[in-house]
């Protein structure tokens, strides 16, 4: 009787200690009491406590047992890592599925047209600038030619990126679509051509960059403090001319390729 009375009196204290002691430990979370027997002080812990927390309480209450594996209490970091891996795999799968639908031949044909356009644009600019003071091939000419080739590479790269990941211009199932002749090339030109012109202006590459330097007195600063109304007007004019030239060239080339060739 005395033992049963002692159990009944100590039961609230045991429960209070069982809930307060884990709060003192940084390794423990909460403890969920599943069942309690006053006659034996047997406590079953089903979830929520770490293994180290359970061991400490087992030293205080030898009858404490748990029904789940200790690894159960450490699954949260593993779950986060697994979710991150799944997100990475999902993004990689999307990129792979997009690249599988791309027609490499269409990319090569468009890149060839863009390179021809950039070189012809530079040749037209070089012819209209007047006679050279010193005849012959100079180092300056070689530098400008390399800059023109760099400009063609940048334009081809921007055009390809927008076409692959933006407008779907190079997909296999859309190569015979009329939108690949009119709509998608114009959308590609609206996005890629102004960026290409800005890169030319920033690096001083021909043709837009050289024209910008000549018109602004050799200043490459594109900051807002430098650009006045005249500079903004010139910049938008160059970007508009780049869009019209690239758009017209690519629409014409794709039309001839699909309906005449």
């Amino acid at each position: 009787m005395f033992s049963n009375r002692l159990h009944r009196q100590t039961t609230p204290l045991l429960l209070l200690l069982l809930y307060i002691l884990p709060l003192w430990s940084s390794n423990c979370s909460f403890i969920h009491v599943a069942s309690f027997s006053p006659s034996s002080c047997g406590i079953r812990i089903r979830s929520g406590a770490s293994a180290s927390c359970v061991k400490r309480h087992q030293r205080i209450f030898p009858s404490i047992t748990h029904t789940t594996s200790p690894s159960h209490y450490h699954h949260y970091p593993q779950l986060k890592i697994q979710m991150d891996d799944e997100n990475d795999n999902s993004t990689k799968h999307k990129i792979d599925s997009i690249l599988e639908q791309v027609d490499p031949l269409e990319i090569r044909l468009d890149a060839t047209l863009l390179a021809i356009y950039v070189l012809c644009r530079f040749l037209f600019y070089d012819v209209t600038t007047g006679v050279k003071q010193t005849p012959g091939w100079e180092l300056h000419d070689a530098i400008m030619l390399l800059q023109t080739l760099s400009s063609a590479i940048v334009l081809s790269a921007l055009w390809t990126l927008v076409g692959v990941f933006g407008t779907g211009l190079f997909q296999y199932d859309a190569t015979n679509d009329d939108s690949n002749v009119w709509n998608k090339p114009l959308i590609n030109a609206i996005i890629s051509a102004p960026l290409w012109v800005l890169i030319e202006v920033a690096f001083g590459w021909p043709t837009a960059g050289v024209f910008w330097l000549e018109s602004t007195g050799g200043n490459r600063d594109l900051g807002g403090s430098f650009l006045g109304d005249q500079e903004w007007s010139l910049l938008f004019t160059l970007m508009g001319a780049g869009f019209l030239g690239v758009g017209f060239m690519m629409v014409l080339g794709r039309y001839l390729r699909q309906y005449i060739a």
Side-chain angles (χ1 to χ4, degrees):
M1 250 186 107
F2 176 77
S3 178
N4 292 335
R5 186 183 305 170
L6 179 62
H7 283 310
R8 286 194 299 271
Q9 292 177 354
T10 57
T11 295
L13 294 177
L14 292 177
L15 290 175
L16 182 62
L17 289 175
L18 189 60
Y19 278 94
I20 292 178
L21 287 177
L23 300 179
W24 296 343
S25 173
S26 60
N27 298 327
C28 299
S29 56
F30 68 94
I31 294 180
H32 175 72
V33 177
S35 62
F36 179 81
S37 175
S39 61
S40 61
C41 292
I43 299 175
R44 296 172 59 84
I45 300 174
R46 289 184 178 176
S47 61
S50 64
S52 59
C53 178
V54 173
K55 290 179 180 179
R56 283 195 296 273
H57 288 290
Q58 282 177 341
R59 290 195 295 267
I60 301 175
F61 309 105
S63 59
I64 292 178
T65 59
H66 60 276
T67 60
T68 55
S69 173
S71 61
H72 169 77
Y73 306 116
H74 303 281
H75 71 283
Y76 293 104
Q78 297 175 0
L79 179 60
K80 183 179 184 301
I81 294 174
Q82 183 179 0
M83 292 177 63
D84 293 340
D85 293 340
E86 290 178 355
N87 293 334
D88 294 340
N89 293 333
S90 176
T91 303
K92 185 176 182 298
H93 176 71
K94 290 179 181 179
I95 295 176
D96 292 340
S97 62
I98 292 174
L99 295 179
E100 288 175 357
Q101 300 175 1
V102 170
D103 188 355
L105 178 60
E106 292 293 319
I107 295 178
R108 289 197 296 268
L109 293 174
D110 280 6
T112 302
L113 283 175
L114 292 170
I116 292 173
Y117 166 73
V118 174
L119 292 174
C120 291
R121 175 170 166 263
F122 170 70
L123 179 61
F124 179 79
Y125 170 79
D126 191 43
V127 171
T128 56
T129 52
V131 182
K132 293 178 59 177
Q133 296 180 357
T134 304
W137 184 262
E138 297 178 349
L139 179 61
H140 177 69
D141 300 326
I143 293 175
M144 292 191 68
L145 181 60
L146 292 176
Q147 291 175 344
T148 304
L149 294 176
S150 301
S151 176
I153 294 173
V154 169
L155 177 58
S156 300
L158 291 174
W159 180 270
T160 302
L161 289 175
V162 175
V164 171
F165 297 103
T167 60
L169 183 62
F170 305 110
Q171 292 182 358
Y172 276 110
D173 56 354
T175 52
N176 294 324
D177 192 358
D178 290 339
S179 63
N180 276 12
V181 177
W182 305 103
N183 300 338
K184 292 181 179 179
L186 290 178
I187 296 175
N188 256 40
I190 290 175
I191 300 174
S192 59
L195 295 176
W196 164 61
V197 170
L198 287 177
I199 292 175
E200 276 195 341
V201 171
F203 288 96
W205 292 347
T207 304
V210 175
F211 188 79
W212 171 268
L213 293 177
E214 292 177 351
S215 302
T216 58
N219 197 331
R220 297 185 182 181
D221 187 9
L222 295 179
S225 60
F226 168 73
L227 296 180
D229 294 338
Q230 184 177 358
E231 286 76 15
W232 278 113
S233 177
L234 175 62
L235 187 60
F236 282 120
T237 301
L238 292 174
M239 293 169 63
F243 158 69
L244 292 176
V246 173
F248 174 77
M249 182 69 178
M250 299 312 295
V251 169
L252 178 62
R254 282 184 164 265
Y255 178 83
L256 295 176
R257 193 165 74 219
Q258 183 160 337
Y259 295 106
I260 295 179

